[in-house]
Amino acid sequence: MLSVHQVGLAFGGTDLFKDISFLVNPGERIGLVGRNGAGKSTLLKLIAGHYAPDTGKVSTPSGFKIGFLTQDIPPKPSTTVWEEAASSFVEIKKLEAQIEGWNEALATRTDYESDSYMKLIEDLTHAQEEYMMQGGYTYQADMERVLMGLGFTSGDFQKPLSTFSGGWQMRVELAKILMQNNDLLLLDEPTNHLDIESILWLEQFLSDSPQAVILVSHDRTFLNNATTRTIEIVLGKSYDFPCPYYKYLSLRAEIREKQRQAKVNQEKEIKATEQLIERFRYKASKASFAQSLIKKLDKVDIIEVDDEDTRSMRFKFPPAPHSGKVMVRMEKIHKHYGEKHVLRGLEMELVRGQKVAFVGQNGQGKSTLVKILAENLAHEGRLEWGHQVQVGYYAQNQAEALDGSKTVLATIEDAAPEELRKSARKLLGNFMFAGDDVEKKVSVLSGGERGRLALCQLMLHPINLLILDEPTNHLDMQAKDVLKQSLESYEGTLVVVSHDREFLDGLANMTYEFKEGKIKQYLGGIEYFLEQRKMQSMREVELQQDAKKQQKADAKALEEARPPKASREELKAAERDLRQAEREEKKAQELFEKAHAALDAVDQVMANPVEFKKVSAEPDFYSRYEDLQKASEKAFAAWEKATAALEKCQQAWEAIAP
């Protein structure tokens, strides 16, 4: 399917990776893992054709299509959400235009027997078949399913995409790529801008999709659930494991341990062989034996232990200053932007030592409440702060907000109090900035490096209320582990906004779900919250199933309430009566029309003065006129009676008809 063969790439004379080889087979879901800076995103760009390898080759079959989601936020288009999502269906839209044009041509032409007319019909038929094969009759339903799965509502579809944040625009880009009929999807951190519900939906979508996938993510749980194979990039080399992430971790450790043991045994054997060579090298009777040992030693393949990047952050939050029991009390907190009400009368209390997780879909008010607490964002309602509360805040865009013109060292020295400035280099070393790294400009740092630098800033001042808004977005897995361990031992109060289930697991002891301006409290961590949400979803399904059962029961009761099916003789009799009633009604209608016509003829004569003078002189004229009136009334009454009888027969027939 796709072949990466001995690919190498270097930047500034330094190999980013070398001799990387692997195959991607149809339908495979591969997790690409490694430290920040290992080259994962670069390898995806190389596979997508954005870069050319220095050595090796990436090969694909003819017509092979690749969809690539990068971390770069696209420019804001002027289209609506729906229009932008639909723009991915290029071929379908092209066929729609062709079919519409040919249908218009057929509607105006009259040369039905001409060859060109028949050719037009043939082209239209082929286009309609192709349109159906490409999903033209279902793509709008697919668009709605994918957009709503990624968190959009039907009310968002016709809104301009430019009114949405960069994260929501990335969701539209992801939707476009998921809906395209690609052979391979390259997804670089697809969960960075997704909430937990959307991540769960994406996991299921990728599991059900026939497309092959290579994805980069630092969300361990997502990787484990969405992939079946793992490729690790370490120090420029690749290691391939035919299993999902968590199994890969244990398998990798097991393989490296066996390699270490084998290497130790081999080194012992080599040392013993060298000792024998030295012992017999200079003895004439044993010289040939020594030479054979030397040849044997030359042929030994030296066992190598797979490379491992063991660098990691090392830090621990300083002791939290003493504070009152209640850190902050929120009463009737309300926040709106124009007509959009983000928070509606929120009530919450944070107490000393709590570790709280804020979860929920994006746009439901989590970051808004965090900004109210940490940045004093304007709002309605009352905030009552506890005694000696000192807040530390990591904003969602904290890493991007760093001054790019400063060096790493200057960033920390300028933010540190006087007594800590002399320890700035040591502190930066704990965050993996060593040697000349501290002299780098912030503008050249990767997202992960900026994230580590922003975390380093939190160490500069004592805090007892730590608020973190999406702190793991740019951190690799090892850095996340260190941060989580530090937070677990942190003595102060913690509020963390995150969609990373593995990071939150075991960290938070209370969870608040934000939804439609309100909050719901769960007296447990993320696993408890997900379990409760799962039970709620199951209850919703059960309610739907109960409703379906009730509908079936009602239908059955209605069926049972109907009279039993009529016999063949009863059906024949009812049909015979219906046909007889139809004939009698028709005959009665004809008699009335005939009588009414005779009366109309006399009325027309009476309307003419000359004719009326002639006929009125006849001795029986008035008696004949009265007879005609009576006959018309009698015929009408008979017709009315026949019509009522026909309706009755029709109802009787419909009641027993099969």
PDB file of all heavy atoms in Angstrom, residues 574-590 639 642-643 645-647 649-650 653:
ATOM      1  N   ALA A 574     -70.043  -8.112   0.879  1.00  0.00           N
ATOM      2  CA  ALA A 574     -69.810  -6.675   1.061  1.00  0.00           C
ATOM      3  C   ALA A 574     -69.449  -6.002  -0.256  1.00  0.00           C
ATOM      4  O   ALA A 574     -69.910  -4.890  -0.554  1.00  0.00           O
ATOM      5  CB  ALA A 574     -68.687  -6.455   2.082  1.00  0.00           C
ATOM      6  N   GLU A 575     -68.655  -6.694  -1.063  1.00  0.00           N
ATOM      7  CA  GLU A 575     -68.304  -6.126  -2.361  1.00  0.00           C
ATOM      8  C   GLU A 575     -69.530  -6.049  -3.271  1.00  0.00           C
ATOM      9  O   GLU A 575     -69.721  -5.065  -3.998  1.00  0.00           O
ATOM     10  CB  GLU A 575     -67.208  -6.973  -3.010  1.00  0.00           C
ATOM     11  CG  GLU A 575     -66.687  -6.388  -4.313  1.00  0.00           C
ATOM     12  CD  GLU A 575     -65.565  -7.199  -4.906  1.00  0.00           C
ATOM     13  OE1 GLU A 575     -65.304  -8.310  -4.413  1.00  0.00           O
ATOM     14  OE2 GLU A 575     -64.947  -6.708  -5.876  1.00  0.00           O
ATOM     15  N   ARG A 576     -70.377  -7.104  -3.211  1.00  0.00           N
ATOM     16  CA  ARG A 576     -71.614  -7.104  -4.021  1.00  0.00           C
ATOM     17  C   ARG A 576     -72.530  -5.957  -3.610  1.00  0.00           C
ATOM     18  O   ARG A 576     -73.074  -5.235  -4.459  1.00  0.00           O
ATOM     19  CB  ARG A 576     -72.325  -8.455  -3.845  1.00  0.00           C
ATOM     20  CG  ARG A 576     -73.561  -8.617  -4.726  1.00  0.00           C
ATOM     21  CD  ARG A 576     -74.104 -10.035  -4.648  1.00  0.00           C
ATOM     22  NE  ARG A 576     -74.481 -10.412  -3.287  1.00  0.00           N
ATOM     23  CZ  ARG A 576     -73.829 -11.310  -2.553  1.00  0.00           C
ATOM     24  NH1 ARG A 576     -72.771 -11.920  -3.057  1.00  0.00           N
ATOM     25  NH2 ARG A 576     -74.235 -11.594  -1.332  1.00  0.00           N
ATOM     26  N   ASP A 577     -72.684  -5.737  -2.313  1.00  0.00           N
ATOM     27  CA  ASP A 577     -73.525  -4.637  -1.830  1.00  0.00           C
ATOM     28  C   ASP A 577     -72.961  -3.283  -2.257  1.00  0.00           C
ATOM     29  O   ASP A 577     -73.715  -2.363  -2.607  1.00  0.00           O
ATOM     30  CB  ASP A 577     -73.637  -4.686  -0.306  1.00  0.00           C
ATOM     31  CG  ASP A 577     -74.428  -5.899   0.174  1.00  0.00           C
ATOM     32  OD1 ASP A 577     -75.145  -6.501  -0.654  1.00  0.00           O
ATOM     33  OD2 ASP A 577     -74.297  -6.243   1.369  1.00  0.00           O
ATOM     34  N   LEU A 578     -71.615  -3.166  -2.224  1.00  0.00           N
ATOM     35  CA  LEU A 578     -70.979  -1.907  -2.612  1.00  0.00           C
ATOM     36  C   LEU A 578     -71.224  -1.616  -4.089  1.00  0.00           C
ATOM     37  O   LEU A 578     -71.575  -0.488  -4.454  1.00  0.00           O
ATOM     38  CB  LEU A 578     -69.472  -1.981  -2.324  1.00  0.00           C
ATOM     39  CG  LEU A 578     -68.636  -0.764  -2.742  1.00  0.00           C
ATOM     40  CD1 LEU A 578     -69.096   0.496  -2.013  1.00  0.00           C
ATOM     41  CD2 LEU A 578     -67.145  -1.006  -2.482  1.00  0.00           C
ATOM     42  N   ARG A 579     -71.048  -2.641  -4.930  1.00  0.00           N
ATOM     43  CA  ARG A 579     -71.279  -2.421  -6.357  1.00  0.00           C
ATOM     44  C   ARG A 579     -72.743  -2.089  -6.644  1.00  0.00           C
ATOM     45  O   ARG A 579     -73.042  -1.219  -7.474  1.00  0.00           O
ATOM     46  CB  ARG A 579     -70.869  -3.683  -7.153  1.00  0.00           C
ATOM     47  CG  ARG A 579     -69.425  -4.088  -6.955  1.00  0.00           C
ATOM     48  CD  ARG A 579     -68.468  -3.052  -7.550  1.00  0.00           C
ATOM     49  NE  ARG A 579     -67.073  -3.368  -7.222  1.00  0.00           N
ATOM     50  CZ  ARG A 579     -66.341  -2.660  -6.398  1.00  0.00           C
ATOM     51  NH1 ARG A 579     -66.849  -1.588  -5.822  1.00  0.00           N
ATOM     52  NH2 ARG A 579     -65.089  -3.004  -6.135  1.00  0.00           N
ATOM     53  N   GLN A 580     -73.680  -2.744  -5.961  1.00  0.00           N
ATOM     54  CA  GLN A 580     -75.112  -2.457  -6.125  1.00  0.00           C
ATOM     55  C   GLN A 580     -75.427  -1.029  -5.694  1.00  0.00           C
ATOM     56  O   GLN A 580     -76.170  -0.305  -6.378  1.00  0.00           O
ATOM     57  CB  GLN A 580     -75.945  -3.454  -5.292  1.00  0.00           C
ATOM     58  CG  GLN A 580     -77.459  -3.242  -5.372  1.00  0.00           C
ATOM     59  CD  GLN A 580     -78.014  -3.503  -6.763  1.00  0.00           C
ATOM     60  OE1 GLN A 580     -77.460  -4.294  -7.531  1.00  0.00           O
ATOM     61  NE2 GLN A 580     -79.115  -2.833  -7.108  1.00  0.00           N
ATOM     62  N   ALA A 581     -74.855  -0.599  -4.588  1.00  0.00           N
ATOM     63  CA  ALA A 581     -75.092   0.765  -4.106  1.00  0.00           C
ATOM     64  C   ALA A 581     -74.515   1.788  -5.083  1.00  0.00           C
ATOM     65  O   ALA A 581     -75.101   2.858  -5.286  1.00  0.00           O
ATOM     66  CB  ALA A 581     -74.468   0.940  -2.723  1.00  0.00           C
ATOM     67  N   GLU A 582     -73.358   1.487  -5.671  1.00  0.00           N
ATOM     68  CA  GLU A 582     -72.771   2.396  -6.666  1.00  0.00           C
ATOM     69  C   GLU A 582     -73.693   2.550  -7.873  1.00  0.00           C
ATOM     70  O   GLU A 582     -73.881   3.656  -8.390  1.00  0.00           O
ATOM     71  CB  GLU A 582     -71.396   1.857  -7.100  1.00  0.00           C
ATOM     72  CG  GLU A 582     -70.315   2.007  -6.032  1.00  0.00           C
ATOM     73  CD  GLU A 582     -69.019   1.343  -6.438  1.00  0.00           C
ATOM     74  OE1 GLU A 582     -69.043   0.522  -7.403  1.00  0.00           O
ATOM     75  OE2 GLU A 582     -67.978   1.594  -5.783  1.00  0.00           O
ATOM     76  N   ARG A 583     -74.271   1.398  -8.325  1.00  0.00           N
ATOM     77  CA  ARG A 583     -75.176   1.465  -9.479  1.00  0.00           C
ATOM     78  C   ARG A 583     -76.436   2.262  -9.155  1.00  0.00           C
ATOM     79  O   ARG A 583     -76.901   3.093  -9.948  1.00  0.00           O
ATOM     80  CB  ARG A 583     -75.543   0.043  -9.929  1.00  0.00           C
ATOM     81  CG  ARG A 583     -74.395  -0.713 -10.583  1.00  0.00           C
ATOM     82  CD  ARG A 583     -74.897  -1.972 -11.281  1.00  0.00           C
ATOM     83  NE  ARG A 583     -75.398  -2.959 -10.336  1.00  0.00           N
ATOM     84  CZ  ARG A 583     -74.654  -3.897  -9.759  1.00  0.00           C
ATOM     85  NH1 ARG A 583     -73.352  -3.979 -10.063  1.00  0.00           N
ATOM     86  NH2 ARG A 583     -75.191  -4.755  -8.928  1.00  0.00           N
ATOM     87  N   GLU A 584     -77.017   2.040  -7.985  1.00  0.00           N
ATOM     88  CA  GLU A 584     -78.239   2.748  -7.597  1.00  0.00           C
ATOM     89  C   GLU A 584     -77.974   4.239  -7.412  1.00  0.00           C
ATOM     90  O   GLU A 584     -78.809   5.078  -7.769  1.00  0.00           O
ATOM     91  CB  GLU A 584     -78.801   2.141  -6.307  1.00  0.00           C
ATOM     92  CG  GLU A 584     -79.379   0.736  -6.514  1.00  0.00           C
ATOM     93  CD  GLU A 584     -79.913   0.140  -5.235  1.00  0.00           C
ATOM     94  OE1 GLU A 584     -79.755   0.789  -4.164  1.00  0.00           O
ATOM     95  OE2 GLU A 584     -80.471  -0.973  -5.266  1.00  0.00           O
ATOM     96  N   GLU A 585     -76.818   4.568  -6.858  1.00  0.00           N
ATOM     97  CA  GLU A 585     -76.491   5.991  -6.693  1.00  0.00           C
ATOM     98  C   GLU A 585     -76.342   6.659  -8.047  1.00  0.00           C
ATOM     99  O   GLU A 585     -76.810   7.796  -8.253  1.00  0.00           O
ATOM    100  CB  GLU A 585     -75.190   6.104  -5.887  1.00  0.00           C
ATOM    101  CG  GLU A 585     -74.828   7.532  -5.481  1.00  0.00           C
ATOM    102  CD  GLU A 585     -74.005   8.247  -6.537  1.00  0.00           C
ATOM    103  OE1 GLU A 585     -73.396   7.554  -7.372  1.00  0.00           O
ATOM    104  OE2 GLU A 585     -73.986   9.505  -6.524  1.00  0.00           O
ATOM    105  N   LYS A 586     -75.713   5.967  -8.994  1.00  0.00           N
ATOM    106  CA  LYS A 586     -75.533   6.527 -10.334  1.00  0.00           C
ATOM    107  C   LYS A 586     -76.874   6.690 -11.046  1.00  0.00           C
ATOM    108  O   LYS A 586     -77.129   7.719 -11.697  1.00  0.00           O
ATOM    109  CB  LYS A 586     -74.617   5.605 -11.147  1.00  0.00           C
ATOM    110  CG  LYS A 586     -74.282   6.144 -12.521  1.00  0.00           C
ATOM    111  CD  LYS A 586     -73.329   5.209 -13.252  1.00  0.00           C
ATOM    112  CE  LYS A 586     -73.003   5.773 -14.630  1.00  0.00           C
ATOM    113  NZ  LYS A 586     -72.089   4.860 -15.388  1.00  0.00           N
ATOM    114  N   LYS A 587     -77.747   5.696 -10.909  1.00  0.00           N
ATOM    115  CA  LYS A 587     -79.081   5.758 -11.534  1.00  0.00           C
ATOM    116  C   LYS A 587     -79.901   6.894 -10.936  1.00  0.00           C
ATOM    117  O   LYS A 587     -80.576   7.651 -11.659  1.00  0.00           O
ATOM    118  CB  LYS A 587     -79.801   4.426 -11.338  1.00  0.00           C
ATOM    119  CG  LYS A 587     -81.175   4.356 -12.012  1.00  0.00           C
ATOM    120  CD  LYS A 587     -81.792   2.983 -11.790  1.00  0.00           C
ATOM    121  CE  LYS A 587     -83.188   2.918 -12.435  1.00  0.00           C
ATOM    122  NZ  LYS A 587     -83.823   1.600 -12.216  1.00  0.00           N
ATOM    123  N   ALA A 588     -79.834   7.055  -9.618  1.00  0.00           N
ATOM    124  CA  ALA A 588     -80.591   8.126  -8.944  1.00  0.00           C
ATOM    125  C   ALA A 588     -80.070   9.493  -9.376  1.00  0.00           C
ATOM    126  O   ALA A 588     -80.843  10.443  -9.557  1.00  0.00           O
ATOM    127  CB  ALA A 588     -80.470   7.959  -7.429  1.00  0.00           C
ATOM    128  N   GLN A 589     -78.757   9.597  -9.547  1.00  0.00           N
ATOM    129  CA  GLN A 589     -78.176  10.867 -10.003  1.00  0.00           C
ATOM    130  C   GLN A 589     -78.671  11.199 -11.412  1.00  0.00           C
ATOM    131  O   GLN A 589     -79.037  12.352 -11.706  1.00  0.00           O
ATOM    132  CB  GLN A 589     -76.645  10.782  -9.982  1.00  0.00           C
ATOM    133  CG  GLN A 589     -75.952  12.061 -10.427  1.00  0.00           C
ATOM    134  CD  GLN A 589     -74.437  11.935 -10.436  1.00  0.00           C
ATOM    135  OE1 GLN A 589     -73.910  10.868 -10.145  1.00  0.00           O
ATOM    136  NE2 GLN A 589     -73.755  13.002 -10.780  1.00  0.00           N
ATOM    137  N   GLU A 590     -78.729  10.200 -12.296  1.00  0.00           N
ATOM    138  CA  GLU A 590     -79.186  10.426 -13.675  1.00  0.00           C
ATOM    139  C   GLU A 590     -80.657  10.850 -13.702  1.00  0.00           C
ATOM    140  O   GLU A 590     -81.047  11.757 -14.461  1.00  0.00           O
ATOM    141  CB  GLU A 590     -78.982   9.154 -14.501  1.00  0.00           C
ATOM    142  CG  GLU A 590     -77.510   8.831 -14.739  1.00  0.00           C
ATOM    143  CD  GLU A 590     -77.319   7.478 -15.411  1.00  0.00           C
ATOM    144  OE1 GLU A 590     -78.312   6.711 -15.484  1.00  0.00           O
ATOM    145  OE2 GLU A 590     -76.178   7.173 -15.821  1.00  0.00           O
ATOM    146  N   TRP A 639     -81.815  10.560  -4.815  1.00  0.00           N
ATOM    147  CA  TRP A 639     -80.356  10.590  -5.032  1.00  0.00           C
ATOM    148  C   TRP A 639     -79.617  10.732  -3.699  1.00  0.00           C
ATOM    149  O   TRP A 639     -78.596  10.080  -3.449  1.00  0.00           O
ATOM    150  CB  TRP A 639     -80.034  11.752  -5.976  1.00  0.00           C
ATOM    151  CG  TRP A 639     -78.563  11.840  -6.309  1.00  0.00           C
ATOM    152  CD1 TRP A 639     -77.679  10.843  -6.386  1.00  0.00           C
ATOM    153  CD2 TRP A 639     -77.835  13.032  -6.589  1.00  0.00           C
ATOM    154  NE1 TRP A 639     -76.429  11.295  -6.706  1.00  0.00           N
ATOM    155  CE2 TRP A 639     -76.490  12.657  -6.857  1.00  0.00           C
ATOM    156  CE3 TRP A 639     -78.185  14.388  -6.686  1.00  0.00           C
ATOM    157  CZ2 TRP A 639     -75.500  13.574  -7.177  1.00  0.00           C
ATOM    158  CZ3 TRP A 639     -77.193  15.295  -7.019  1.00  0.00           C
ATOM    159  CH2 TRP A 639     -75.865  14.907  -7.255  1.00  0.00           C
ATOM    160  N   ALA A 642     -79.646   7.434  -1.932  1.00  0.00           N
ATOM    161  CA  ALA A 642     -78.731   6.476  -2.563  1.00  0.00           C
ATOM    162  C   ALA A 642     -77.267   6.806  -2.214  1.00  0.00           C
ATOM    163  O   ALA A 642     -76.438   5.912  -2.033  1.00  0.00           O
ATOM    164  CB  ALA A 642     -78.935   6.472  -4.078  1.00  0.00           C
ATOM    165  N   THR A 643     -76.953   8.112  -2.130  1.00  0.00           N
ATOM    166  CA  THR A 643     -75.591   8.524  -1.760  1.00  0.00           C
ATOM    167  C   THR A 643     -75.257   8.088  -0.340  1.00  0.00           C
ATOM    168  O   THR A 643     -74.154   7.598  -0.063  1.00  0.00           O
ATOM    169  CB  THR A 643     -75.448  10.047  -1.888  1.00  0.00           C
ATOM    170  OG1 THR A 643     -75.724  10.437  -3.239  1.00  0.00           O
ATOM    171  CG2 THR A 643     -74.042  10.495  -1.533  1.00  0.00           C
ATOM    172  N   ALA A 645     -76.586   5.588   1.269  1.00  0.00           N
ATOM    173  CA  ALA A 645     -76.463   4.128   1.263  1.00  0.00           C
ATOM    174  C   ALA A 645     -75.099   3.707   0.712  1.00  0.00           C
ATOM    175  O   ALA A 645     -74.470   2.759   1.212  1.00  0.00           O
ATOM    176  CB  ALA A 645     -77.591   3.509   0.430  1.00  0.00           C
ATOM    177  N   LEU A 646     -74.609   4.430  -0.318  1.00  0.00           N
ATOM    178  CA  LEU A 646     -73.293   4.118  -0.890  1.00  0.00           C
ATOM    179  C   LEU A 646     -72.184   4.355   0.142  1.00  0.00           C
ATOM    180  O   LEU A 646     -71.265   3.544   0.282  1.00  0.00           O
ATOM    181  CB  LEU A 646     -73.058   4.973  -2.138  1.00  0.00           C
ATOM    182  CG  LEU A 646     -71.672   4.849  -2.776  1.00  0.00           C
ATOM    183  CD1 LEU A 646     -71.399   3.416  -3.215  1.00  0.00           C
ATOM    184  CD2 LEU A 646     -71.548   5.801  -3.959  1.00  0.00           C
ATOM    185  N   GLU A 647     -72.243   5.472   0.875  1.00  0.00           N
ATOM    186  CA  GLU A 647     -71.239   5.764   1.902  1.00  0.00           C
ATOM    187  C   GLU A 647     -71.223   4.686   2.980  1.00  0.00           C
ATOM    188  O   GLU A 647     -70.157   4.284   3.457  1.00  0.00           O
ATOM    189  CB  GLU A 647     -71.508   7.133   2.518  1.00  0.00           C
ATOM    190  CG  GLU A 647     -71.232   8.296   1.574  1.00  0.00           C
ATOM    191  CD  GLU A 647     -71.558   9.633   2.202  1.00  0.00           C
ATOM    192  OE1 GLU A 647     -72.107   9.646   3.331  1.00  0.00           O
ATOM    193  OE2 GLU A 647     -71.274  10.674   1.572  1.00  0.00           O
ATOM    194  N   CYS A 649     -72.092   1.523   2.596  1.00  0.00           N
ATOM    195  CA  CYS A 649     -71.485   0.314   2.027  1.00  0.00           C
ATOM    196  C   CYS A 649     -69.960   0.462   1.910  1.00  0.00           C
ATOM    197  O   CYS A 649     -69.216  -0.500   2.117  1.00  0.00           O
ATOM    198  CB  CYS A 649     -72.094   0.028   0.656  1.00  0.00           C
ATOM    199  SG  CYS A 649     -73.798  -0.568   0.722  1.00  0.00           S
ATOM    200  N   GLN A 650     -69.512   1.673   1.564  1.00  0.00           N
ATOM    201  CA  GLN A 650     -68.064   1.900   1.472  1.00  0.00           C
ATOM    202  C   GLN A 650     -67.385   1.726   2.826  1.00  0.00           C
ATOM    203  O   GLN A 650     -66.315   1.120   2.926  1.00  0.00           O
ATOM    204  CB  GLN A 650     -67.797   3.309   0.926  1.00  0.00           C
ATOM    205  CG  GLN A 650     -68.050   3.453  -0.563  1.00  0.00           C
ATOM    206  CD  GLN A 650     -67.892   4.874  -1.044  1.00  0.00           C
ATOM    207  OE1 GLN A 650     -68.117   5.820  -0.283  1.00  0.00           O
ATOM    208  NE2 GLN A 650     -67.556   5.043  -2.318  1.00  0.00           N
ATOM    209  N   TRP A 653     -67.190  -1.939   3.681  1.00  0.00           N
ATOM    210  CA  TRP A 653     -66.146  -2.621   2.901  1.00  0.00           C
ATOM    211  C   TRP A 653     -64.741  -2.323   3.444  1.00  0.00           C
ATOM    212  O   TRP A 653     -63.912  -3.208   3.596  1.00  0.00           O
ATOM    213  CB  TRP A 653     -66.267  -2.202   1.436  1.00  0.00           C
ATOM    214  CG  TRP A 653     -65.070  -2.577   0.614  1.00  0.00           C
ATOM    215  CD1 TRP A 653     -64.108  -1.762   0.164  1.00  0.00           C
ATOM    216  CD2 TRP A 653     -64.704  -3.891   0.172  1.00  0.00           C
ATOM    217  NE1 TRP A 653     -63.158  -2.445  -0.542  1.00  0.00           N
ATOM    218  CE2 TRP A 653     -63.501  -3.781  -0.545  1.00  0.00           C
ATOM    219  CE3 TRP A 653     -65.271  -5.155   0.314  1.00  0.00           C
ATOM    220  CZ2 TRP A 653     -62.869  -4.861  -1.127  1.00  0.00           C
ATOM    221  CZ3 TRP A 653     -64.635  -6.245  -0.258  1.00  0.00           C
ATOM    222  CH2 TRP A 653     -63.447  -6.093  -0.971  1.00  0.00           C
TER     223      TRP A 653
END
